[in-house]
Amino acid sequence: QKEVEQDPGPLSVPEGAIVSLNCTYSNSAFQYFMWYRQYSRKGPELLMYTYSSGNKEDGRFTAQVDKSSKYISLFIRDSQPSDSATYLCAMSGPSTGRRALTFGSGTRLQVQP
Amino acid sequence: EAQVTQNPRYLITVTGKKLTVTCSQNMNHEYMSWYRQDPGLGLRQIYYSMNVEVTDKGDVPEGYKVSRKEKRNFPLILESPSPNQTSLYFCASSLQGLTEAFFGQGTRLTVV
């Protein structure tokens, strides 16, 4: 079983829809949670970064972390065709020791005009 | 402009022929790392470096070498590439390493 599970999609939604992207994880030591967006033939770009549990909002994007359920989500409001990309969740453990992110395998999102 | 630059972007090589993929960042970041991305497996860390002359193995280091002689550069070396190293490679950097703030554009390597 992978440490981080993410539905690969593709997830197809109409423009303007609310999108929900999710990851589950098994390692309770994870404390830092990130969402990256990756366009085709590009490197990942950091969208949201959350420490521990709770919500964080940035424009149309909201990240939620539920450590008790080992479940994180990214919500995209008023989705646009330009949001079409692969979304990767990532997480890491305490700040001491080896610093490495564990990534999900990504969910491909298609927003139809 | 803040960026991580990788070269080359595309490379086709033959088994056993040594190659180097360069990575350079212009943000004075202490932390740099290399990942490979394979379908269904996501991004997996190969090596990372917390500062000059400080490097350590990630999850999949076999068959790779790195060096960090200068803060801005972190080359990835494949001494004897094999077909199972065919992949998409990303270099990343960040100030402290808690998140990977910046990724390069990627190097698509094919070993035949």
Side-chain angles (χ1 to χ4, degrees):
Chain A
Q1 185 187 2
K2 294 180 185 177
E3 266 192 306
V4 178
E5 298 278 359
Q6 188 175 8
D7 188 324
L11 177 63
S12 184
V13 301
E15 183 176 353
I18 297 175
V19 175
S20 172
L21 303 165
N22 311 294
C23 288
T24 59
Y25 64 95
S26 57
N27 187 345
S28 57
F30 288 142
Q31 293 182 346
Y32 301 90
F33 303 92
M34 288 135 276
W35 285 96
Y36 290 84
R37 178 174 62 196
Q38 185 176 20
Y39 291 114
S40 181
R41 295 188 177 84
K42 299 286 188 182
E45 56 177 320
L46 181 63
L47 275 178
M48 304 281 287
Y49 160 53
T50 309
Y51 172 70
S52 195
S53 285
N55 294 359
K56 188 173 185 177
E57 189 173 320
D58 184 2
R60 296 185 295 113
F61 298 90
T62 300
Q64 285 186 353
V65 175
D66 182 348
K67 289 189 73 179
S68 62
S69 302
K70 298 191 180 68
Y71 189 87
I72 70 170
S73 301
L74 177 71
F75 297 97
I76 307 174
R77 291 184 298 280
D78 188 24
S79 56
Q80 303 295 310
S82 58
D83 294 327
S84 299
T86 297
Y87 289 80
L88 307 165
C89 64
M91 41 203 82
S92 63
S95 59
T96 56
R98 182 164 81 86
R99 298 177 181 185
L101 299 189
T102 301
F103 282 85
S105 53
T107 298
R108 190 155 62 94
L109 172 66
Q110 297 171 341
V111 181
Q112 307 293 342
Chain B
E1 180 190 354
Q3 59 185 8
V4 177
T5 303
Q6 293 178 229
N7 280 296
R9 293 288 311 278
Y10 302 92
L11 180 58
I12 301 174
T13 190
V14 296
T15 299
K17 185 176 181 182
K18 181 179 178 180
L19 66 92
T20 299
V21 183
T22 64
C23 174
S24 180
Q25 50 95 2
N26 63 359
M27 296 163 281
N28 203 36
H29 283 168
E30 292 181 345
Y31 184 86
M32 298 184 73
S33 60
W34 277 101
Y35 286 83
R36 60 178 288 173
Q37 187 175 34
D38 301 289
L41 296 177
L43 284 149
R44 294 177 293 165
Q45 191 185 60
I46 302 169
Y47 268 95
Y48 68 100
S49 169
M50 296 177 70
N51 214 324
V52 176
E53 303 292 0
V54 180
T55 64
D56 208 348
K57 296 177 182 178
D59 294 313
V60 288
E62 293 75 23
Y64 304 94
K65 283 177 58 177
V66 293
S67 69
R68 187 93 181 271
K69 293 183 169 53
E70 305 166 282
K71 200 170 188 178
R72 64 182 291 123
N73 296 322
F74 190 43
L76 179 70
I77 303 155
L78 284 73
E79 295 268 2
S80 183
S82 62
N84 65 11
Q85 293 177 298
T86 293
S87 187
L88 180 58
Y89 291 86
F90 288 102
C91 180
S93 78
S94 65
L95 196 56
Q96 294 177 323
L98 294 177
T99 68
E100 301 288 11
F102 292 90
F103 279 83
Q105 293 285 68
T107 295
R108 184 165 293 281
L109 171 66
T110 302
V111 184
V112 297

